[in-house]
Amino acid sequence: MQNKFESLELGQFIPLHYHHNMLNDNIRMKGFKEAINLVVKPGAKVLELGGGTGVQSFFAAQKAQKVFCVERNPELADAARSLLAQNTNGDKVEVIQADALHYLPPEPVDVVICEMLHTGLLREKQMPVIDSFKKRYLKKFGGPLPIFVPEASIQAIQPIEQNFHFEGFNAPTILFQDPCAIQKRSKSLADPKVFQLLVYAEPFDQTCHWDGEIALAQNGQLNALRLITKNILAINMLTGSTIDWHTQYIILPLPKPLSVSAGDQISIRFRYQGGAPLNALSNSLEISLISKQTPVSQLALEALNYSPDFQSTISSQAGGL
């Protein structure tokens, strides 16, 4: 049964005070500004799905002829209109209070901006909104599809040992990490393993899933997984470079820690729908130790025990006792 508050907690309905934090995120702001400036050509027509305060529509309006900014939250739509009116070329932006999951522009557009992004493509509705838009857009206008910002998302999972103690209080719970900061409370047990590459202009399944194995590189207590989402905001074909932005990492505690050694193999399996609540991943997660690395000292001892020369030596020594 759907939680009656789900529409307020997920997807396109994010309160204004949260958008203030996003405006204050310099890495996010600079990345989107650079990407939008790259892909929006002079005279272009642009659609933003989930416009929030209208800042990305503002970036687009510096070159575009027309920008359609769609925002479901009435409070945010009013705020966007007010803020855009105070900024250069804000008059090029038409703010539409509507649900991005169902909205289509009145005419074809060259670029679609959609930043309904959360780590793991969880919680927010990036995948269903873009998938729905493409189907309806192609039916109404035919091809080609517009350029999308972001163009792609790359997802990875990483086994870690996480310190969940806070001033003596043990709290193994979901944590968020700044991807640009050194995480002293986390110990990486292996490199991140990519499990999904999603290109928004191409057909995609709305599930995020993986069933694979990881070889551990460090000894430790495997008690958490780090979920990583890197978004390719735009691709510069002239330089062969990308403009990237990482959402915050998510640390997912495991129900039961595993004592592991370098060389051990672990199996990880999960499946969830894009836009699902955070616990959708942890609820579907299955992790197990499938092979244990034998210490070198034990291997050497076993080799000696099974060596004919060693057995002969032992037998002769035993006979002389």
Side-chain angles (χ1 to χ4, degrees):
M1 181 175 178
Q2 187 181 46
N3 187 319
K4 67 179 180 178
F5 298 113
E6 188 178 63
S7 64
L8 300 180
E9 296 170 351
L10 306 178
Q12 306 157 65
F13 213 101
I14 297 175
L16 180 59
H17 64 267
Y18 187 85
H19 285 267
H20 293 159
N21 294 331
M22 292 192 284
L23 290 170
N24 201 41
D25 185 338
N26 292 331
I27 294 175
R28 173 183 177 273
M29 292 287 283
K30 289 179 179 178
F32 275 97
K33 182 179 181 180
E34 184 182 354
I36 292 168
N37 183 60
L38 176 67
V39 303
V40 175
K41 306 305 179 186
K45 294 177 181 177
V46 178
L47 169 66
E48 183 180 6
L49 297 172
T53 58
V55 61
Q56 296 185 33
S57 289
F58 161 73
F59 293 150
Q62 304 317 301
K63 284 186 175 181
Q65 175 188 337
K66 176 72 176 180
V67 182
F68 302 97
C69 177
V70 181
E71 174 52 51
R72 178 184 172 190
N73 184 337
E75 179 190 21
L76 271 173
D78 288 341
R81 292 187 186 102
S82 175
L83 292 170
L84 286 163
Q86 302 173 47
N87 285 274
T88 303
N89 293 322
D91 58 316
K92 294 183 181 180
V93 182
E94 179 184 351
V95 179
I96 301 117
Q97 197 263 302
D99 190 336
L101 192 61
H102 307 295
Y103 179 83
L104 274 179
E107 58 185 315
V109 294
D110 304 292
V111 177
V112 170
I113 303 165
C114 184
E115 196 275 88
M116 297 184 184
L117 289 164
H118 198 281
T119 305
L121 297 172
L122 290 157
R123 198 168 184 268
E124 296 193 47
K125 303 299 185 182
Q126 183 85 357
M127 293 177 77
V129 164
I130 291 182
D131 186 61
S132 172
F133 168 80
K134 289 193 303 182
K135 292 173 181 176
R136 292 179 294 107
Y137 185 92
L138 290 172
K139 184 177 180 180
K140 182 175 181 179
F141 299 116
L145 285 168
I147 296 172
F148 289 93
V149 179
E151 293 198 33
S153 293
I154 301 172
Q155 303 225 81
I157 201 84
Q158 182 180 29
I160 66 169
E161 177 180 316
Q162 178 68 31
N163 182 350
F164 288 109
H165 290 83
F166 306 91
E167 298 298 328
F169 180 61
N170 183 40
T173 186
I174 291 176
L175 302 174
F176 293 90
Q177 291 182 338
D178 181 349
C180 299
I182 297 173
Q183 303 299 332
K184 296 182 178 179
R185 299 173 63 86
S186 301
K187 175 184 175 182
S188 300
L189 299 178
D191 290 336
K193 189 78 171 182
V194 172
F195 66 86
Q196 184 177 37
L197 170 58
L198 192 155
V199 179
Y200 291 108
E202 297 179 358
F204 59 81
D205 184 353
Q206 290 191 46
T207 59
C208 303
H209 58 91
W210 193 54
D211 185 354
E213 300 174 5
I214 297 179
L216 301 179
Q218 300 288 336
N219 303 336
Q221 285 290 114
L222 172 56
N223 64 350
L225 295 175
R226 177 185 281 136
L227 184 58
I228 300 168
T229 303
K230 176 182 177 180
N231 302 291
I232 310 299
L233 302 184
I235 301 172
N236 189 327
M237 301 303 292
L238 293 177
T239 62
S241 60
T242 60
I243 302 168
D244 306 329
W245 173 57
H246 284 82
T247 53
Q248 285 186 311
Y249 299 152
I250 295 179
I251 304 301
L252 297 164
L254 302 184
K256 184 178 180 181
L258 297 171
S259 295
V260 295
S261 304
D264 289 354
Q265 291 274 348
I266 59 168
S267 169
I268 300 176
R269 176 185 298 174
F270 56 82
R271 175 180 290 269
Y272 60 89
Q273 287 293 114
L278 289 178
N279 62 0
L281 191 161
S282 52
N283 287 347
S284 70
L285 180 64
E286 297 177 21
I287 182 167
S288 59
L289 183 61
I290 58 174
S291 66
K292 189 74 177 171
Q293 178 73 14
T294 306
V296 173
S297 58
Q298 183 177 336
L299 287 173
L301 183 58
E302 290 176 356
L304 285 172
N305 287 338
Y306 286 100
S307 167
D309 292 340
F310 180 78
Q311 292 293 346
S312 175
T313 302
I314 292 296
S315 297
S316 61
Q317 288 178 345
L321 292 178

